[in-house]
Amino acid sequence: MLNLFSVSSIQRRDSTSQRGVKRAALHNSIKRRQATALHSAASSAPHSTISMDDFTLLSTTPYVFDRLRGDIRVYDSLPSTNTLLKQLAGSGGQEGLCVIADEQTAGRGRHQRQWISTRGEGLYLSVLLRPQIALDRLPLISFLGAVAMARAVSKVTKPVRAVNVDIKWPNDLLVNGKKACGVLVESGLVGDRVAYVILGVGLNLYHQTFPNGLLYPATSLLLETGERLARINVVSEFLRAMDKSYQAFEQNPSSIVEEWASLSSFVHGKWVRISLGDRTIEGITRGVRADGALRRARRDRDAPRR
Ligand code: BT5
């Protein structure tokens, strides 16, 4: 396998003009720093924090793994990385193309909810996939995102502080019981064929506070570890984990469900209340089906009353 982050081009974009910025100056400064950073990103040794502007470095880094490869396009500010990547997918973007923004002005969660995407504090990333799968397998892609991010967060936090990483069904990543990451999957169909899938992840890295009234208590990796973990390392580990799980997924889509279940404490014996648009279901979890649906015992049968 080729390790990622061989530097070959500069892809930093201005969100309004779409022009590369100060390429020569950037290139020189990157050249000075790249040796250290690439070592840090590609090393299998424990990741440490790096103080340099790793966001700038990200913009210089096409990546190559066994299955997934592509450009990483980095923007200072976008309405939403998913929205831009959807446009790029529609105009022939290659599988693996990755869009990252330092801030999102209209970051989205599921069901048109807002995703808090403050400048410089999180990882807001979308990756383009073109899986050859049946339509009914599409929901499993969000499992892919949650699994890859769970693996990445475990890897980067491990050398710094022991934290509990868990996945709440279907795709919230919890760190020490609070939400640190969400996954938003959107797709484009041609007839009944999946033409593209946009897998968007938002991870709270350096947030110190969150507004009241969120659906679930929120946290960041800084709050849980006390460290400003480098974004470039998280991206590197996320894409590495994606590559591995995506290969397994292509051979056997339900393999991702098993992987997901091995990382989630919500699969067995957890009280859940799930909103399905116009109705809410609740009960105690009793495993997960191959299509990703939760098995549960209904409240009126054997779940405790609240
Ligand atoms: C999600 O939705 O959790 C999916 C979030 C996906 C965000 C990424 S960022 C890159 C890509 N581009 C986008 O525009 N989106 C994706 P959902 O399960 O619906 O959760 C949304 C709810 O989480 C909100 O209604 C809030 O209550 C809460 N929330 C919002 N921002 C949060 C944050 N930064 N951390 C924790 N909770 C948050």
Side-chain angles (χ1 to χ4, degrees):
M1 184 184 86
L2 244 173
N3 263 333
L4 82 166
F5 293 149
S6 59
V7 176
S8 67
S9 71
I10 295 175
Q11 299 258 359
R12 191 175 180 83
R13 307 293 162 103
D14 179 285
S15 59
T16 48
S17 68
Q18 308 275 309
R19 282 173 310 196
V21 293
K22 296 182 183 158
R23 289 182 172 233
L26 190 59
H27 191 63
N28 287 339
S29 92
I30 285 161
K31 271 185 122 178
R32 284 197 301 277
R33 292 177 300 187
Q34 74 189 38
T36 324
L38 293 179
H39 174 74
S40 169
S43 163
S44 57
H47 295 305
S48 58
T49 53
I50 53 177
S51 58
M52 70 183 67
D53 176 7
D54 72 312
F55 195 65
T56 304
L57 279 164
L58 264 176
S59 65
T60 67
T61 51
Y63 70 98
V64 181
F65 283 116
D66 284 348
R67 171 68 184 81
L68 285 174
R69 59 196 60 206
D71 283 343
I72 300 179
R73 298 192 186 177
V74 174
Y75 294 80
D76 289 331
S77 178
L78 284 177
S80 155
T81 54
N82 264 37
T83 305
L84 176 66
L85 194 51
K86 243 192 272 184
Q87 289 162 12
L88 297 173
S91 54
Q94 300 282 304
E95 182 169 65
L97 179 59
C98 210
V99 168
I100 300 179
D102 198 26
E103 117 181 302
Q104 296 184 118
T105 52
R108 291 182 285 115
R110 296 171 304 149
H111 313 297
Q112 300 308 317
R113 296 183 193 123
Q114 185 207 357
W115 184 255
I116 297 162
S117 310
T118 32
R119 177 181 289 279
E121 298 201 319
L123 173 64
Y124 317 116
L125 175 155
S126 301
V127 60
L128 171 58
L129 302 174
R130 294 191 183 275
Q132 309 278 315
I133 51 168
L135 273 187
D136 63 352
R137 304 283 98 166
L138 258 182
L140 299 183
I141 300 275
S142 64
F143 281 40
L144 199 62
V147 163
M149 195 51 98
R151 295 212 182 282
V153 167
S154 296
K155 188 94 184 269
V156 299
T157 53
K158 197 172 172 198
V160 177
R161 183 166 300 175
V163 294
N164 178 271
V165 179
D166 198 359
I167 308 174
K168 179 169 153 292
W169 190 90
N171 53 16
D172 287 349
L173 194 72
L174 307 185
V175 176
N176 294 339
K178 296 180 187 164
K179 181 164 173 171
C181 171
V183 179
L184 176 66
V185 173
E186 298 177 300
S187 55
L189 309 180
V190 175
D192 58 0
R193 191 178 62 78
V194 177
Y196 66 82
V197 179
I198 308 296
L199 172 57
V201 290
L203 172 70
N204 302 326
L205 285 169
Y206 316 129
H207 299 69
Q208 308 236 35
T209 57
F210 293 92
N212 293 327
L214 298 182
L215 284 179
Y216 205 82
T219 194
S220 69
L221 297 192
L222 175 60
L223 288 172
E224 299 307 321
T225 66
E227 296 280 349
R228 292 178 67 84
L229 296 163
R231 260 185 298 205
I232 194 168
N233 288 342
V234 180
V235 173
S236 159
E237 294 302 344
F238 173 74
L239 292 173
R240 191 191 305 276
M242 274 282 298
D243 185 71
K244 223 169 150 207
S245 296
Y246 192 51
Q247 286 183 67
F249 172 77
E250 284 185 312
Q251 279 157 24
N252 172 17
S254 53
S255 68
I256 194 65
V257 179
E258 285 157 35
E259 217 184 332
W260 179 91
S262 73
L263 296 169
S264 173
S265 75
F266 283 76
V267 178
H268 293 286
K270 275 264 166 82
W271 175 267
V272 290
R273 177 179 288 132
I274 298 166
S275 165
L276 298 173
D278 56 345
R279 68 196 177 98
T280 300
I281 56 170
E282 44 190 18
I284 299 271
T285 57
R286 295 274 187 266
V288 61
R289 297 192 327 214
D291 65 358
L294 270 184
R295 287 201 182 90
R296 76 202 148 84
R298 285 176 201 285
R299 175 187 179 140
D300 52 7
R301 266 195 290 170
D302 58 355
R305 295 231 161 245
R306 287 189 159 185

